[in-house]
Amino acid sequence: MQRRIKTSRYIEILSDFGWKHYFGREENKINLINFLNSLLEGEHIITDLHYANVEEDGEHSSERKVVFDLRCIGDGGEHFLVEMQLQNQDFFFDRAVTYTSRTISRLAKKGAEGNGYELPPVYFVAVLGFQLNKANDAKHYYSAKIVDQFDQEVLYEKLSYKMLVLPNFNKSKTELSTIMDQWMYLMKHLNEIDELPNYLDKRIFSRIFISESVV
């Protein structure tokens, strides 16, 4: 007997189309706000955001253009670069630094107006389908800032890197203790779910399960 393959009722989040569908559309931006707030819990709260151009030209014609998956600006002026990378990339940290550096360079005010060097906060957020460090296969969430290597004092609050490593996330539905846990579980298991389950916060996830998401 031929095995029946279960197909999802919902658009796969971890696809280019699904990523833009759930997080990149104005009518669904509450999903992105909720997702980002789950990462920033205890650190910052976003109440609103607007989408920005995902393409960034180099300052010179010879420089390579950068294209972000999603770029948005919070109501407090903070900038978010939101990436999904499922395939292994050897120099992913280099990519993260390149993206944030390009953004910061663009945000720096020119001339006398920039003498104070004040910048808005910049967050690089990535959902990864590969392990950053194969020797540490239990770590599914990285949160980094510029810190002093001796006493871990945060030297610069305005630059943050948040990375979710899906292969290392192995919690069951009964172990989901935070909204971030619930987002990671949903990203890995949406194709196995037919309707909004009671272990996901209905206030946060109801829009994922509305009829327009059915394929």
Side-chain angles (χ1 to χ4, degrees):
M1 185 173 64
Q2 202 172 34
R3 181 183 176 186
R4 295 183 62 188
I5 299 174
K6 181 178 175 61
T7 58
S8 175
R9 294 181 57 208
Y10 302 98
I11 298 169
E12 174 59 57
I13 294 180
L14 300 179
S15 66
D16 289 337
F17 179 80
W19 193 252
K20 301 293 194 305
H21 176 83
Y22 291 117
F23 296 126
R25 302 195 303 166
E26 185 68 26
E27 57 266 41
N28 279 341
K29 72 176 180 180
I30 188 61
N31 291 333
L32 183 57
I33 292 172
N34 288 333
F35 172 60
L36 293 175
N37 278 334
S38 76
L39 300 183
L40 300 175
E41 186 173 4
E43 181 178 343
H44 183 68
I45 297 175
I46 305 166
T47 58
D48 197 10
L49 57 78
H50 68 269
Y51 294 101
N53 187 359
V54 296
E55 294 189 2
E56 184 80 84
D57 291 325
E59 294 186 4
H60 305 286
S61 59
S62 60
E63 291 182 340
R64 180 179 179 180
K65 176 187 291 187
V66 167
V67 180
F68 308 106
D69 285 343
L70 289 174
R71 179 162 61 171
C72 56
I73 303 172
D75 52 331
E78 61 276 23
H79 287 243
F80 294 91
L81 312 176
V82 186
E83 295 287 303
M84 176 186 65
Q85 177 67 39
L86 300 184
Q87 301 302 316
N88 183 66
Q89 189 170 68
D90 291 337
F91 301 103
F92 188 77
F93 281 113
D94 298 70
R95 173 178 165 183
V97 171
T98 298
Y99 279 18
T100 53
S101 298
R102 183 72 66 88
T103 297
I104 290 168
S105 176
R106 288 293 190 182
L107 290 172
K109 295 177 180 178
K110 310 301 181 185
E113 191 179 2
N115 286 344
Y117 295 98
E118 183 178 6
L119 292 167
V122 174
Y123 295 87
F124 180 90
V125 176
V127 174
L128 305 178
F130 62 94
Q131 293 178 318
L132 283 173
N133 180 359
K134 289 181 170 57
N136 191 353
D137 59 5
K139 188 173 183 178
H140 61 262
Y141 179 41
Y142 289 76
S143 180
K145 293 183 183 291
I146 297 176
V147 302
D148 185 286
Q149 65 175 326
F150 298 110
D151 61 8
Q152 302 305 301
E153 177 189 359
V154 177
L155 300 179
Y156 187 63
E157 288 277 359
K158 292 183 178 181
L159 179 60
S160 299
Y161 296 89
K162 310 282 186 180
M163 301 186 187
L164 303 181
V165 184
L166 293 179
N168 292 351
F169 183 82
N170 297 306
K171 290 187 178 183
S172 70
K173 61 187 179 183
T174 61
E175 298 174 312
L176 308 178
S177 59
T178 66
I179 298 298
M180 186 184 75
D181 283 349
Q182 293 179 38
W183 273 114
M184 295 189 74
Y185 185 90
L186 184 70
M187 288 177 182
K188 291 194 70 171
H189 299 285
L190 180 59
N191 64 336
E192 304 166 11
I193 301 172
D194 290 328
E195 59 185 15
L196 178 59
N198 57 16
Y199 52 82
L200 297 181
D201 191 310
K202 291 178 173 55
R203 298 166 301 172
I204 302 294
F205 297 97
S206 60
R207 292 191 62 83
I208 302 293
F209 292 87
I210 58 180
S211 59
E212 69 172 2
S213 298
V214 179
V215 291

